Amino acid sequence: MDFRKSLVALSAIAFAFMASCSDTSLSNSEQLEALIAAHEGFDSYDKKKYRLGLYTPERYQKEADFADSLLTQLAKLDTTGLCDSEKISKELLTFVLKDDVAFNDFKRYLNPLLSDSGFHLNLNYRVRPLNSYAAVINYLHVLNAIPDYVDQHFANLREGIATGQVQAAVIFEGYESTYDDHIVLDFKDSFFYSPFKQLPSSLTEAQKDSVLVAAQEAVSKNVIPQFMRIKQFFEEEYYPNARQDIGVSSVPGGAEQYQDRINFYTTSEQYTAQDIHEIGLAEVARIKARMQEIIEELNFKGSFADFLRFLRTDPQFYAKTPEELLMIARDMAKRADEQLPRFFKTLPRKPYGVAPVPDAIAPKYTGGRYVGTSKNSTDPGYYWVNTYDLPSRTLYTLPALTVHEAVPGHHLQGALNNELGDSIPQFRKNLYLSAYGEGWGLYSEYLAAEMGMYTTPYEEFGQLTYEMWRACRLVVDTGIHALGWTRDEVVDYMASNTALSIHEVNTETDRYISWPGQALSYKIGELKIRELRKKAEEELGADFDIRDFHEVILGQGTVTLDILEQRINSYIERNKEQ
């Protein structure tokens, strides 16, 4: 039986099980498998009809109701006889379903905009090379679906305006670039037309001719005019109604929504905003002390602020061309590659490339990011490096950025997660939790010191300023969304405690304003991994093996921090008994 037929069969079992819990003929494992299959097989809308997705309140209510029904059955499921991986699946499915319910309860779909992304910016990710006739036809369907996609989001955003669920006005400075660049006079100059400039060689001449005619019509009638509508909507409707307060606590139900985001992004219910704020202050003080030591070791004559000014202005710390920046990033990535066998037992089969952030999104984009692909995709993963505004792209922070986004950071962790095969269900292969994933990325920056990636005191300072950056996030995110901080206070705090360029400080500040809670995940996750490593080292002594430790951290893919702690505790006990 193929996978799809198996999924359909298991979904049928699950629905029958949910309808009548008196049937005890299924084992606990079979009941869990059926509930997982129901979750994975649930389809809230017709994917062929809505090529770019369905974003109506009715869809989200349908998904929340279904999630709630599954939660009821999961709560009744006895874990007796379940293996460790199955227990993890049950716990993770519960976590995911609770967030599905919360998404609808807080109506987060009414506010789908971030400082560096949004519903219209997401369309950029649909543009990619076309390698077959089927891919060409599918892409044409996508372009022609844009008007309905825009209409759906306009409806939600207008409801958000009416109910006060809107973004802060301050994050939209420069936002016009996200749509103005797509308003062109000649359809051939559209970014969305670019894939048609190199059609697959497998197409016949007749197919090429018909495709180019269809492409002109799609871009001229369903792409460019929609970005004109988007421009008009933002500038005439949304910006005038965006909120003046920067914290999410200022919107209706905002304090409860922020606590929900804290719980989600730390994968824990143990923290309040004040707890995290105080952890951040303590980390800032610790890291700053080490940074000061490096300044003294360099015999720099001046204050901490003078040293940051030196780092931000001296030409030695900046690439002269985008090509030079990419070349240096590739060199660093390759140096990280060679160290992996010394620290990891299992390495991913999927390779990765180093590429620039696309021009269409670069001005408001972060310094770099990892973009993964599915296991069966013929595309590699990509470590994107932002080559826009070179005077803001510091070379001394590039090693830390590289190991975070490429290896041993996001690419290694994400690719291994995708390659776990049948040992975990599909929903776990697709799952990304920031406390785990971003915590691992930040831990990778720490690990890179042992890998020999920081070759100068300036690069070590760069690693510390990136760690300081994440520690500052704990302070400023809670400051923004719970403690009433102004944007100027956030910028001043970030600028005075990190060596980030002022451009990056401003870009990151807008990101924290627009995305409550996400910035907390990095440092909270990293602190937990380092805490668990220290515990394993102390309790196992000479028997501690860094490759075994990392195997346990990565071996079950994405998990919550509570699950991760349980796994490391079990690993320690097993090794003590040997």
Side-chain angles (χ1 to χ4, degrees):
M1 183 181 291
D2 64 27
F3 171 76
R4 188 168 185 81
K5 289 180 180 178
S6 299
L7 188 61
V8 171
L10 285 168
S11 296
I13 293 171
F15 284 116
F17 172 66
M18 291 162 61
S20 176
C21 293
S22 60
D23 182 4
T24 58
S25 60
L26 297 176
S27 69
N28 293 340
S29 292
E30 290 170 332
Q31 291 176 27
L32 176 63
E33 187 177 4
L35 292 173
I36 290 171
H39 168 66
E40 294 178 346
F42 180 67
D43 198 350
S44 58
Y45 66 93
D46 185 340
K47 303 297 189 297
K48 288 187 177 180
K49 180 178 180 181
Y50 298 101
R51 296 277 180 165
L52 286 167
L54 184 65
Y55 303 91
T56 63
E58 293 76 18
R59 171 209 164 174
Y60 296 118
Q61 185 64 57
K62 182 178 180 181
E63 290 178 347
D65 290 343
F66 183 74
D68 197 53
S69 67
L70 281 184
L71 282 169
T72 299
Q73 302 310 320
L74 278 170
K76 295 176 182 178
L77 181 62
D78 188 353
T79 59
T80 302
L82 298 184
C83 69
D84 288 344
S85 184
E86 289 171 329
K87 290 176 182 177
I88 291 172
S89 293
K90 179 179 184 291
E91 193 168 338
L92 287 175
L93 183 56
T94 299
F95 185 88
V96 168
L97 293 171
K98 283 183 177 179
D99 189 58
D100 288 345
V101 173
F103 182 89
N104 185 66
D105 286 347
F106 289 111
K107 299 189 185 310
R108 294 206 306 272
Y109 55 86
L110 298 182
N111 185 7
L113 306 174
L114 300 178
S115 63
D116 63 354
S117 66
F119 72 96
H120 60 303
L121 273 167
N122 292 343
L123 294 170
N124 289 303
Y125 296 99
R126 297 284 186 158
V127 181
R128 57 185 59 198
L130 304 172
N131 55 20
S132 68
Y133 186 62
V136 170
I137 298 303
N138 182 66
Y139 183 58
L140 285 169
H141 283 311
V142 165
L143 297 183
N144 290 325
I146 289 177
D148 180 62
Y149 174 81
V150 172
D151 285 343
Q152 290 182 52
H153 282 288
F154 280 3
N156 289 339
L157 289 164
R158 286 175 176 134
E159 178 65 19
I161 291 171
T163 59
Q165 298 291 336
V166 291
Q167 269 293 5
V170 72
I171 73 162
F172 293 113
E173 183 177 350
Y175 207 66
E176 63 274 6
S177 67
T178 67
Y179 45 78
D180 280 351
D181 290 349
H182 295 303
I183 301 173
V184 295
L185 293 176
D186 187 339
F187 71 92
K188 291 182 180 179
D189 293 332
S190 171
F191 176 59
F192 291 89
Y193 184 80
S194 59
F196 296 109
K197 294 179 178 179
Q198 189 170 357
L199 291 171
S201 58
S202 59
L203 270 63
T204 66
E205 289 304 313
Q207 286 175 328
K208 289 179 181 179
D209 289 343
S210 64
V211 163
L212 291 177
V213 170
Q216 176 179 351
E217 183 172 0
V219 174
S220 298
K221 293 184 178 180
N222 289 328
V223 178
I224 298 171
Q226 291 307 310
F227 278 96
M228 295 173 67
R229 289 182 66 211
I230 289 167
K231 176 183 177 68
Q232 182 179 22
F233 171 79
F234 275 120
E235 296 178 1
E236 296 182 9
E237 291 187 56
Y238 201 84
Y239 297 162
N241 289 291
R243 69 178 193 266
Q244 296 307 305
D245 292 324
I246 64 173
V248 73
S249 55
S250 66
V251 308
E256 294 80 9
Q257 188 174 161
Y258 186 50
Q259 184 61 56
D260 175 75
R261 294 297 80 197
I262 290 174
N263 295 348
F264 178 80
Y265 284 116
T266 66
T267 63
S268 171
E269 296 183 359
Q270 72 180 81
Y271 301 105
T272 65
Q274 189 63 46
D275 293 335
I276 291 175
H277 193 78
E278 291 172 4
I279 292 170
L281 291 172
E283 280 292 285
V284 167
R286 178 187 65 80
I287 298 165
K288 194 165 189 176
R290 176 57 190 144
M291 295 170 89
Q292 192 64 52
E293 289 176 0
I294 293 177
I295 294 173
E296 292 170 4
E297 291 166 7
L298 287 166
N299 295 315
F300 181 83
K301 306 304 181 185
S303 66
F304 188 82
D306 291 335
F307 188 70
L308 296 189
R309 194 175 302 111
F310 163 66
L311 291 177
R312 289 181 179 129
T313 57
D314 195 294
Q316 69 176 298
F317 300 122
Y318 298 89
K320 295 179 178 61
T321 65
E323 293 75 20
E324 181 186 5
L325 181 60
L326 287 171
M327 180 180 68
I328 295 171
R330 290 189 180 105
D331 175 71
M332 291 177 176
K334 198 61 184 174
R335 286 198 289 115
D337 282 344
E338 73 176 3
Q339 293 296 320
L340 295 181
R342 297 181 175 91
F343 293 88
F344 299 92
K345 286 187 171 181
T346 305
L347 298 177
R349 292 176 58 83
K350 174 82 73 173
Y352 68 95
V354 182
V357 172
D359 292 342
I361 59 175
K364 296 280 283 183
Y365 209 72
T366 189
R369 191 165 289 176
Y370 175 66
V371 181
T373 59
S374 66
K375 177 184 176 182
N376 296 323
S377 171
T378 57
D379 294 325
Y382 275 105
Y383 160 36
W384 276 1
V385 179
N386 200 334
T387 58
Y388 174 82
D389 189 22
L390 286 177
S392 71
R393 311 302 172 192
T394 49
L395 293 177
Y396 57 85
T397 59
L398 196 58
L401 177 67
T402 299
V403 297
H404 182 110
E405 303 297 345
V407 296
H410 289 324
H411 173 71
L412 184 138
Q413 184 272 317
L416 285 178
N417 194 90
N418 279 337
E419 294 171 15
L420 282 171
D422 295 335
S423 62
I424 64 171
Q426 187 63 40
F427 89 92
R428 287 176 55 185
K429 297 175 191 175
N430 299 338
L431 182 61
Y432 187 81
L433 298 176
S434 291
Y436 176 82
E438 299 300 347
W440 174 260
L442 184 49
Y443 169 77
S444 294
E445 297 175 29
Y446 163 80
L447 181 66
E450 299 174 53
M451 297 170 65
M453 290 298 297
Y454 308 122
T455 60
T456 70
Y458 297 113
E459 289 181 347
E460 184 183 350
F461 194 92
Q463 182 262 318
L464 288 169
T465 202
Y466 263 31
E467 187 182 3
M468 175 69 90
W469 174 23
R470 281 44 169 263
C472 286
R473 287 174 173 179
L474 302 185
V475 178
V476 300
D477 195 276
T478 51
I480 291 166
H481 297 294
L483 304 177
W485 282 32
T486 66
R487 189 182 186 281
D488 286 344
E489 285 179 295
V490 175
V491 170
D492 289 346
Y493 190 86
M494 295 283 291
S496 62
N497 284 295
T498 77
L500 293 171
S501 68
I502 298 303
H503 174 84
E504 280 193 303
V505 167
N506 280 286
T507 298
E508 290 300 312
T509 295
D510 287 344
R511 175 186 170 192
Y512 309 148
I513 291 170
S514 68
W515 200 353
Q518 193 272 345
L520 308 177
S521 55
Y522 299 70
K523 194 63 182 168
I524 294 296
E526 181 243 6
L527 284 172
K528 176 57 67 176
I529 295 172
R530 288 179 62 172
E531 171 197 317
L532 295 173
R533 177 172 167 177
K534 181 179 179 182
K535 180 179 181 180
E537 288 173 331
E538 289 176 348
E539 296 198 23
L540 296 180
D543 292 330
F544 176 79
D545 185 323
I546 189 64
R547 297 170 79 235
D548 286 340
F549 175 79
H550 289 153
E551 191 82 357
V552 176
I553 294 288
L554 299 170
Q556 283 289 327
T558 298
V559 293
T560 65
L561 297 185
D562 288 343
I563 293 173
L564 192 62
E565 186 162 15
Q566 294 165 18
R567 284 180 51 73
I568 294 299
N569 286 339
S570 296
Y571 153 75
I572 292 171
E573 292 307 312
R574 286 196 307 271
N575 278 270
K576 281 182 175 180
E577 293 169 0
Q578 291 178 359

Coordinates of all heavy atoms in Angstrom, one line a residue, residues 210-241:
S210 N 2.9 29.6 -27.0 CA 1.7 29.7 -26.2 C 1.9 30.1 -24.7 O 1.2 30.9 -24.1 CB 0.9 28.4 -26.2 OG 1.6 27.4 -25.6
V211 N 3.0 29.6 -24.2 CA 3.4 29.9 -22.8 C 3.7 31.4 -22.7 O 3.3 32.1 -21.8 CB 4.6 29.1 -22.3 CG1 5.2 29.7 -21.1 CG2 4.1 27.7 -22.0
L212 N 4.5 31.9 -23.7 CA 4.9 33.3 -23.6 C 3.7 34.3 -23.7 O 3.6 35.3 -23.1 CB 5.9 33.7 -24.7 CG 7.3 33.0 -24.4 CD1 8.2 33.3 -25.6 CD2 7.9 33.5 -23.1
V213 N 2.7 33.9 -24.5 CA 1.5 34.7 -24.7 C 0.7 34.7 -23.3 O 0.3 35.7 -22.8 CB 0.6 34.2 -25.8 CG1 -0.8 34.8 -25.7 CG2 1.3 34.4 -27.1
A214 N 0.6 33.5 -22.7 CA -0.1 33.4 -21.4 C 0.7 34.1 -20.3 O 0.1 34.7 -19.4 CB -0.2 31.9 -21.1
A215 N 2.0 34.1 -20.4 CA 2.8 34.8 -19.4 C 2.6 36.3 -19.5 O 2.5 36.9 -18.4 CB 4.3 34.4 -19.6
Q216 N 2.6 36.8 -20.7 CA 2.4 38.2 -20.8 C 1.0 38.6 -20.3 O 0.9 39.6 -19.5 CB 2.4 38.6 -22.3 CG 2.1 40.1 -22.6 CD 2.2 40.5 -24.0 OE1 2.6 39.7 -24.9 NE2 1.7 41.7 -24.3
E217 N 0.0 37.9 -20.6 CA -1.3 38.2 -20.1 C -1.4 38.1 -18.5 O -2.0 38.9 -17.9 CB -2.4 37.2 -20.7 CG -3.8 37.6 -20.2 CD -4.8 36.7 -21.0 OE1 -4.4 35.9 -21.9 OE2 -6.0 36.9 -20.7
A218 N -0.8 37.0 -18.0 CA -0.8 36.8 -16.5 C -0.1 38.0 -15.8 O -0.7 38.5 -14.8 CB -0.2 35.5 -16.2
V219 N 1.0 38.3 -16.3 CA 1.8 39.4 -15.6 C 1.1 40.7 -15.8 O 1.0 41.6 -14.9 CB 3.3 39.4 -16.1 CG1 4.0 40.6 -15.5 CG2 4.0 38.1 -15.7
S220 N 0.7 41.0 -17.0 CA 0.1 42.3 -17.3 C -1.3 42.5 -16.7 O -1.6 43.6 -16.3 CB -0.1 42.5 -18.9 OG 1.1 42.4 -19.5
K221 N -2.1 41.4 -16.5 CA -3.4 41.6 -16.0 C -3.6 41.1 -14.6 O -4.5 41.7 -13.8 CB -4.4 40.8 -16.9 CG -4.5 41.3 -18.3 CD -5.6 40.5 -19.1 CE -5.8 41.1 -20.5 NZ -6.8 40.3 -21.2
N222 N -2.7 40.2 -14.1 CA -3.0 39.6 -12.8 C -1.8 39.8 -11.8 O -1.9 39.4 -10.7 CB -3.3 38.1 -12.9 CG -4.6 37.9 -13.5 OD1 -5.6 38.7 -13.3 ND2 -4.8 36.8 -14.3
V223 N -0.7 40.4 -12.2 CA 0.4 40.7 -11.3 C 0.6 42.2 -11.1 O 0.4 42.7 -10.0 CB 1.7 40.0 -11.8 CG1 2.8 40.3 -10.8 CG2 1.5 38.5 -11.9
I224 N 1.0 42.9 -12.1 CA 1.3 44.3 -12.0 C 0.1 45.1 -11.4 O 0.2 45.9 -10.5 CB 1.7 44.9 -13.3 CG1 3.0 44.2 -13.8 CG2 2.0 46.4 -13.2 CD1 3.5 44.6 -15.2
P225 N -1.2 44.9 -12.0 CA -2.3 45.6 -11.4 C -2.6 45.3 -9.9 O -3.1 46.2 -9.2 CB -3.5 45.2 -12.3 CG -2.9 44.7 -13.6 CD -1.6 44.1 -13.2
Q226 N -2.3 44.1 -9.5 CA -2.5 43.7 -8.1 C -1.5 44.5 -7.2 O -1.9 44.9 -6.1 CB -2.4 42.2 -7.9 CG -3.5 41.5 -8.6 CD -4.9 41.9 -8.2 OE1 -5.2 42.1 -7.0 NE2 -5.8 42.2 -9.2
F227 N -0.3 44.6 -7.7 CA 0.6 45.4 -6.8 C 0.3 46.9 -6.8 O 0.5 47.6 -5.8 CB 2.1 45.2 -7.3 CG 2.7 43.9 -6.8 CD1 2.7 42.7 -7.5 CD2 3.2 43.9 -5.5 CE1 3.2 41.5 -7.0 CE2 3.7 42.7 -4.9 CZ 3.7 41.5 -5.7
M228 N -0.4 47.4 -7.8 CA -0.9 48.7 -7.8 C -2.0 48.8 -6.8 O -2.1 49.8 -6.0 CB -1.4 49.1 -9.2 CG -0.3 49.2 -10.2 SD -0.9 49.5 -11.9 CE -1.5 51.1 -11.8
R229 N -2.9 47.8 -6.7 CA -3.9 47.8 -5.7 C -3.3 47.7 -4.3 O -3.8 48.4 -3.4 CB -4.9 46.6 -5.9 CG -5.8 46.6 -7.1 CD -6.6 45.3 -7.1 NE -7.6 45.3 -6.0 CZ -8.0 44.2 -5.4 NH1 -7.5 43.0 -5.8 NH2 -8.8 44.3 -4.4
I230 N -2.3 46.9 -4.2 CA -1.6 46.7 -2.9 C -1.1 48.1 -2.4 O -1.2 48.5 -1.2 CB -0.5 45.7 -2.9 CG1 -1.2 44.3 -3.1 CG2 0.4 45.7 -1.7 CD1 -0.2 43.2 -3.5
K231 N -0.4 48.8 -3.3 CA 0.1 50.1 -3.0 C -1.0 51.1 -2.5 O -0.9 51.7 -1.5 CB 0.8 50.7 -4.2 CG 1.3 52.1 -4.1 CD 1.9 52.6 -5.4 CE 2.4 54.1 -5.3 NZ 3.5 54.2 -4.4
Q232 N -2.1 51.1 -3.3 CA -3.2 52.0 -2.9 C -3.8 51.6 -1.5 O -4.1 52.4 -0.7 CB -4.3 51.9 -4.0 CG -5.5 52.8 -3.7 CD -6.5 52.8 -4.8 OE1 -6.6 51.8 -5.6 NE2 -7.3 53.8 -4.9
F233 N -3.9 50.3 -1.3 CA -4.5 49.8 0.0 C -3.6 50.2 1.1 O -4.1 50.8 2.1 CB -4.7 48.3 0.0 CG -5.1 47.7 1.3 CD1 -6.4 47.8 1.7 CD2 -4.1 47.2 2.1 CE1 -6.7 47.3 3.0 CE2 -4.5 46.7 3.4 CZ -5.8 46.7 3.8
F234 N -2.3 50.0 1.1 CA -1.5 50.3 2.2 C -1.4 51.8 2.4 O -1.6 52.3 3.6 CB 0.0 49.8 1.9 CG 0.2 48.4 2.3 CD1 0.6 47.4 1.4 CD2 0.0 48.0 3.6 CE1 0.8 46.1 1.7 CE2 0.2 46.6 4.0 CZ 0.6 45.7 3.0
E235 N -1.3 52.6 1.4 CA -1.1 54.0 1.5 C -2.3 54.8 1.8 O -2.3 55.8 2.5 CB -0.4 54.6 0.3 CG 1.0 53.9 0.1 CD 1.8 54.4 -1.1 OE1 1.2 55.3 -1.9 OE2 2.9 53.9 -1.3
E236 N -3.5 54.3 1.4 CA -4.7 55.0 1.6 C -5.6 54.4 2.8 O -6.3 55.2 3.4 CB -5.6 55.0 0.4 CG -4.9 55.8 -0.8 CD -5.8 55.9 -2.0 OE1 -7.0 55.5 -2.0 OE2 -5.3 56.3 -3.1
E237 N -5.4 53.1 3.1 CA -6.2 52.5 4.1 C -5.5 52.0 5.3 O -5.9 52.3 6.4 CB -7.0 51.3 3.5 CG -8.1 51.6 2.5 CD -8.9 50.4 2.1 OE1 -9.5 49.8 3.0 OE2 -9.0 50.1 0.9
Y238 N -4.4 51.3 5.1 CA -3.7 50.6 6.2 C -2.8 51.6 7.0 O -3.0 51.7 8.2 CB -2.9 49.4 5.8 CG -2.7 48.5 6.9 CD1 -3.7 47.5 7.3 CD2 -1.5 48.5 7.7 CE1 -3.5 46.7 8.3 CE2 -1.3 47.7 8.7 CZ -2.3 46.7 9.1 OH -2.1 45.9 10.1
Y239 N -1.9 52.3 6.4 CA -1.0 53.1 7.1 C -1.7 54.1 8.0 O -1.3 54.3 9.2 CB 0.0 53.8 6.2 CG 0.9 53.0 5.4 CD1 1.5 53.4 4.2 CD2 1.1 51.6 5.7 CE1 2.4 52.6 3.5 CE2 2.0 50.8 5.0 CZ 2.6 51.3 3.9 OH 3.4 50.5 3.1
P240 N -2.8 54.8 7.5 CA -3.5 55.8 8.3 C -4.1 55.2 9.6 O -4.4 55.9 10.5 CB -4.5 56.4 7.4 CG -4.0 56.2 6.0 CD -3.3 54.8 6.1
N241 N -4.4 53.9 9.5 CA -5.0 53.2 10.6 C -4.1 52.3 11.5 O -4.6 51.6 12.4 CB -6.2 52.4 10.1 CG -7.4 53.2 9.6 OD1 -8.0 53.9 10.4 ND2 -7.5 53.2 8.3

